[in-house]
C-alpha cells in the first residue's frame, strides 16, 4: 500500500497543476475510487494539500517540507560526503546507528539522518529534544587520520562548518559558544556531539552528531527548553529548506575537516574566532572535577581554550561546559 500511495503522489506531482480525477487514478492503478480517496486522505495527514475540484479531480497544491535521501543528493556539491545516506523516519538516536555502520566499515561522509528522534542525546547522557519534521537530526561519519587526542578539535571544525552553512542558507549569522553550541540571540540553535572509535594511537572513526532546530514554532519546543532554545524559522521568519542546509553543511564539513587533517586548526582558527561569542567574556567553567570563574582570553592553535583566573594565572581548558 505504501507503493500505491507513492505512485499516486508521483502522478499528482507530475500533473503540473492539472487536475487528475479519482476515476482516472482508479483506472491507472486498478483500484476502487474509495481506495484512491483513502490514499489521498493519508497523504493529507502527512502534510500534502490537495484542491478537490468537482467532476475534475485532485490538484496537488503544496507538499510538506520533508527531507529524504534523493532531495539531499540533488542539492549536494561535495566530493564524497553524502554519497551514502541512511534516511529513517524515526530512530531512537542517529548516533548508535552511525556507530554501528562505522564499525562495519562505512566510508567517510556517510550520514544517518531522520525526521524524529525518540531518545536523542547530548553530551554526558543529557537529552536532546528532536521534534518530528522540524529539525536536522543527523550523524556524520568522519575518518580523519589523526591521533585520538585531537578528536575534540573536530567539534570546533564542525561548528565553523555549520555556522557558515547556516549563514549562507538562512542569511543569519550564528555565534559559536565554545565548545559545541551555536547560538542566535543568545539562544541555542545547534548542538554538536563528537564521539570516537579509536585504538590507542589512531582514530578509526569520529561520529559527529549534529542537531539543528530549523522550522520550529515556539510551541514545538517542549516547555523545559523553550527559554533556552530557538529555531532558524523563529529567528528569520522564513521556512528553511532542510535538504539544502544539509547539503551545505556536508560541503563545508568535507572541506574544513580535510583542511584540518592537512594543516591543523591554525588555518580555521581565524574563522572560528570571528564566529565566537566566547573570547573576551567572563565565564563560569564547569569541568568534571571542578567549577571556576575567569575570562576567556584566547583559543590556541590547537583549539584549546585559555582562561585567565582573577589572580592572573592562566588555565588551559580542553573540555568543559561554560556559562557566559
Ligand atoms: C549537545 O549536547 O548540544 C549535543 C546535541 C547533539 C544532538 C545530535 S542530533 C543527532 C545526533 N543524535 C543524537 O542523539 N544526538 C546528536 P549538550 O551540550 O550536552 O546539550 C544538551 C542540553 O541542550 C540539554 O540538557 C538541554 O538543556 C538542551 N537542549 C536539548 N534539546 C535541545 C534543542 N532541541 N535545542 C536547544 N537546546 C536543547
Amino acid at each position: 500500500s505504501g507503493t500505491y500511495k507513492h505512485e499516486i503522489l508521483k502522478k499528482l506531482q507530475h500533473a503540473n497543476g492539472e487536475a487528475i480525477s479519482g476515476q482516472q487514478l482508479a483506472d491507472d492503478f486498478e483500484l476502487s475510487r474509495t481506495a484512491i480517496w483513502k490514499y489521498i486522505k493519508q497523504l493529507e495527514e502527512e502534510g500534502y494539500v490537495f484542491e478537490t475540484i468537482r467532476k475534475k479531480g485532485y490538484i496537488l497544491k503544496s507538499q510538506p517540507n520533508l527531507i529524504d535521501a534523493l532531495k539531499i543528493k540533488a542539492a549536494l556539491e561535495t566530493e564524497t560526503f553524502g554519497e551514502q545516506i541512511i534516511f529513517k523516519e524515526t530512530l531512537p538516536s542517529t548516533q548508535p546507528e552511525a556507530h554501528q555502520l562505522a564499525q562495519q566499515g562505512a566510508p567517510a561522509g556517510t550520514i544517518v539522518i531522520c525526521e524524529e528522534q525518540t531518545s536523542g542525546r547530548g553530551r554526558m547522557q543529557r537529552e536532546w529534544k528532536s521534534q518530528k519534521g522540524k529539525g536536522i537530526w543527523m550523524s556524520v561519519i568522519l575518518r580523519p587520520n589523526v591521533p585520538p587526542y585531537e578528536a575534540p578539535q573536530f567539534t570546533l571544525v564542525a561548528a565553523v562548518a555549520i555556522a557558515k552553512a547556516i549563514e549562507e542558507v538562512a542569511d543569519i549569522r550564528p555565534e559559536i559558544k565554545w565548545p559545541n553550541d551555536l547560538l542566535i540571540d543568545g539562544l541555542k540553535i545547534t548542538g554538536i556531539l563528537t564521539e570516537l572509535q579509536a585504538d590507542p594511537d589512531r582514530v578509526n572513526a569520529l561520529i559527529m552528531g549534529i542537531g539543528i532546530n530549523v522550522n520550529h514554532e515556539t510551541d514545538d519546543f517542549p516547555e523545559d527548553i523553550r527559554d533556552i532554545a530557538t529555531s532558524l524559522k523563529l529567528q528569520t521568519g522564513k521556512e528553511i529548506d532542510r535538504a539544502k542546509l544539509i547539503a551545505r553543511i556536508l560541503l563545508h564539513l568535507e572541506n574544513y575537516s580535510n583542511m584540518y587533517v592537512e594543516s591543523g586548526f591554525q588555518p580555521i582558527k581565524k574563522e572560528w574566532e570571528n564566529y565566537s561569542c566566547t573570547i573576551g567574556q567572563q565565564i563560569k567553567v564547569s569541568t568534571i572535577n571542578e567549577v571556576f570563574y575567569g575570562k576567556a582570553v584566547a583559543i590556541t592553535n590547537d583549539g584549546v581554550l585559555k582562561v585567565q583566573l582573577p589572580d592572573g594565572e592562566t588555565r588551559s581548558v580542553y573540555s568543559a561546559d561554560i556559562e557566559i
Side-chain angles (χ1 to χ4, degrees):
S1 85
T3 357
Y4 278 131
K5 189 173 73 186
H6 195 80
E7 290 301 318
I8 292 168
L9 176 61
K10 246 172 56 193
K11 268 241 147 90
L12 288 155
Q13 280 171 332
H14 289 110
N16 295 321
E18 296 282 314
I20 304 184
S21 71
Q23 189 60 56
Q24 174 76 56
L25 291 167
D27 291 347
D28 286 352
F29 296 107
E30 296 182 3
L31 293 168
S32 68
R33 287 183 59 171
T34 316
I36 297 291
W37 179 81
K38 279 187 185 154
Y39 286 124
I40 297 282
K41 286 286 152 222
Q42 280 179 22
L43 287 164
E44 281 176 345
E45 264 161 38
E46 289 170 23
Y48 292 87
V49 178
F50 299 96
E51 191 184 353
T52 315
I53 303 178
R54 230 168 67 84
K55 300 216 170 115
K56 286 217 156 137
Y58 304 104
I59 299 176
L60 179 58
K61 280 293 172 192
S62 72
Q63 314 197 35
N65 183 343
L66 292 174
I67 32 173
D68 61 43
L70 285 179
K71 229 168 148 187
I72 299 167
K73 284 206 169 154
L76 277 181
E77 305 163 83
T78 52
E79 295 284 330
T80 62
F81 276 36
E83 248 167 38
Q84 308 250 27
I85 300 176
I86 289 48
F87 174 79
K88 299 265 169 77
E89 211 37 54
T90 300
L91 282 173
S93 157
T94 55
Q95 286 293 97
E97 198 86 1
H99 269 289
Q100 207 180 355
L101 285 168
Q103 252 145 17
Q104 293 162 357
T110 299
I111 71 170
V112 177
I113 184 158
C114 65
E115 283 285 17
E116 175 189 40
Q117 294 186 121
T118 50
S119 44
R121 47 194 171 84
R123 296 178 300 157
M124 295 173 277
Q125 308 307 320
R126 288 188 283 231
E127 251 189 298
W128 182 261
K129 303 285 170 58
S130 318
Q131 196 70 23
K132 182 169 190 172
K134 298 291 170 181
I136 293 172
W137 325 125
M138 79 171 167
S139 299
V140 184
I141 298 174
L142 305 182
R143 296 202 182 267
N145 187 9
V146 297
Y149 65 83
E150 290 188 30
Q153 311 238 15
F154 281 83
T155 301
L156 310 185
V157 171
V160 173
I162 299 163
K164 195 165 176 158
I166 288 178
E167 198 175 2
E168 289 167 353
V169 174
D171 205 15
I172 193 164
R173 196 174 160 85
E175 293 184 312
I176 299 176
K177 179 178 161 229
W178 185 91
N180 71 317
D181 292 351
L182 297 190
L183 311 179
I184 296 180
D185 201 17
L187 302 168
K188 188 155 166 172
I189 194 103
T190 296
I192 303 166
L193 174 68
T194 307
E195 295 179 322
L196 187 58
Q197 290 179 8
D199 294 332
D201 56 352
R202 90 173 249 281
V203 168
N204 290 322
L206 288 179
I207 313 300
M208 175 82 62
I210 299 171
I212 307 176
N213 304 321
V214 183
N215 290 322
H216 298 61
E217 307 287 353
T218 308
D219 288 353
D220 292 323
F221 288 111
E223 247 169 68
D224 56 322
I225 59 166
R226 222 167 265 174
D227 294 341
I228 58 165
T230 190
S231 75
L232 291 175
K233 185 170 186 189
L234 284 170
Q235 293 295 322
T236 63
K238 285 179 294 194
E239 182 104 1
I240 304 296
D241 183 342
R242 288 176 298 158
K244 197 162 146 192
L245 182 53
I246 292 161
R248 267 285 133 140
I249 290 169
L250 292 175
L251 176 68
H252 293 317
L253 199 56
E254 183 176 76
N255 286 338
Y256 282 106
S257 56
N258 286 341
M259 198 188 288
Y260 180 91
V261 172
E262 275 161 34
S263 323
F265 185 62
Q266 205 267 332
I268 305 164
K269 186 177 133 173
K270 187 99 222 123
E271 278 188 271
W272 189 92
E273 285 169 339
N274 287 340
Y275 283 115
S276 163
C277 62
T278 307
I279 306 302
Q281 301 287 330
Q282 290 296 333
I283 59 173
K284 175 184 175 186
V285 181
S286 311
T287 71
I288 300 174
N289 304 314
E290 56 172 347
V291 174
F292 60 91
Y293 294 81
K295 186 178 175 189
V297 286
I299 190 109
T300 68
N301 284 341
D302 303 323
V304 175
L305 188 67
K306 292 282 185 191
V307 180
Q308 189 169 46
L309 306 190
D311 66 6
E313 182 204 339
T314 304
R315 289 223 198 151
S316 297
V317 184
Y318 296 89
S319 138
D321 271 325
I322 63 166
E323 279 170 53
I324 297 170

